Amino acid sequence: MSDIEFSQYTTDYIAGVMSLREPQKESFKRLEQITEAILLNKDMNLEKALECVRDMFPTCSDFERAFLSLTFALATGVGKTRLMGAFITYLYTQKGIKNFFVVAPGTTVYEKLKSDLGDPSNPKYVFKGLGCFSLPPRVITGEEYSNRNLYVFDTDIHIYVFNIDKFNKENVNMRREDEYFGGSFLQSLADLDDLVLIMGESHHYRAQTKGRTGFG
């Protein structure tokens, strides 16, 4: 990926194309601030990363997970899905990240995420007007992840969208050995160097799983 090719994709540019509202822009700028200060990789020093984030945002007391974990709290109706799209676009163009795992708290949000992130004909398609993707991002859902045909004509970026209930029900199948993935589906995800987990309305998972956190 060429830095020159995507040099125009600043947070201001992305926010303008995506028509982000002020609360979205503020969250987006905070993500930029954090990712510019911390080198994103699987082997980062979490203690130093936490210290760095705490210096910028003293309310952050703990990541609560064994990886860099952040929560963005926005009011209902502000447009969290569009903000997710902005995060994905920024992390792809500026940090070279190509794999994202988006978790929905229920069926209604799940269906909305599938359409808003994966259907270019949808009026609310979040990546409309962004020319940084050579092909539209490939959305792989909880119903489709084992379909090998999805990976034949591949795109540059994968967005896995799962309903938390579906994820729990499919857990055994996801852990099953599969020659195509070179192990299990979950192991293939764990082996990725650049997987970003985005959890919509993460307070739901906090209540259900005692401390799981992410982009909310």
Side-chain angles (χ1 to χ4, degrees), residues 32-194:
E32 177 187 36
Q33 191 175 346
I34 292 169
T35 57
E36 285 300 302
I38 298 172
L39 180 63
L40 302 179
N41 61 65
K42 293 176 73 171
D43 300 319
M44 72 171 65
N45 185 316
L46 287 179
E47 290 186 6
K48 289 185 177 180
L50 178 60
E51 182 179 340
C52 183
V53 173
R54 189 182 291 144
D55 285 344
M56 292 183 282
F57 306 105
T59 56
C60 179
S61 60
D62 193 348
F63 291 149
E64 299 186 359
R65 309 298 292 178
F67 50 82
L68 175 63
S69 178
L70 308 168
T71 295
F72 294 83
L74 284 84
T76 300
V78 168
K80 291 189 282 289
T81 303
R82 185 162 293 273
L83 181 59
M84 289 181 190
F87 285 171
I88 289 170
T89 303
Y90 173 76
L91 291 172
Y92 169 66
T93 59
Q94 302 306 310
K95 304 301 176 183
I97 294 173
K98 299 181 180 181
N99 293 284
F100 301 85
F101 197 100
V102 180
V103 184
T107 303
T108 301
V109 177
Y110 175 57
E111 294 300 326
K112 182 179 185 300
L113 284 171
K114 289 196 297 182
S115 180
D116 290 356
L117 294 172
D119 182 4
S121 67
N122 175 11
K124 293 186 177 181
Y125 180 62
V126 300
F127 300 115
K128 191 171 295 183
L130 294 167
C132 55
F133 305 112
S134 56
L135 291 172
R138 166 80 70 189
V139 168
I140 299 170
T141 70
E143 292 79 28
E144 303 170 327
Y145 72 92
S146 60
N147 183 350
R148 300 180 182 184
N149 292 330
L150 285 176
Y151 305 90
V152 174
F153 300 102
D154 220 351
T155 59
D156 200 32
I157 178 171
H158 292 158
I159 304 175
Y160 301 88
V161 180
F162 278 70
N163 178 346
I164 189 64
D165 291 333
K166 179 73 172 179
F167 185 84
N168 290 334
K169 291 176 182 177
E170 284 286 322
N171 194 268
V172 173
N173 290 332
M174 291 179 186
R175 294 180 183 279
R176 184 172 296 143
E177 293 291 316
D178 187 303
E179 291 183 3
Y180 180 78
F181 294 116
S184 69
F185 172 70
L186 285 184
Q187 188 59 53
S188 71
L189 293 179
D191 289 341
L192 293 171
D193 292 328
D194 64 345

Side-chain angles (χ1 to χ4, degrees), residues 190-207:
D191 289 341
L192 293 171
D193 292 328
D194 64 345
L195 184 67
V196 171
L197 173 64
I198 301 178
M199 304 177 78
E201 300 185 25
S202 60
H203 57 283
H204 288 287
Y205 315 110
R206 181 181 298 274

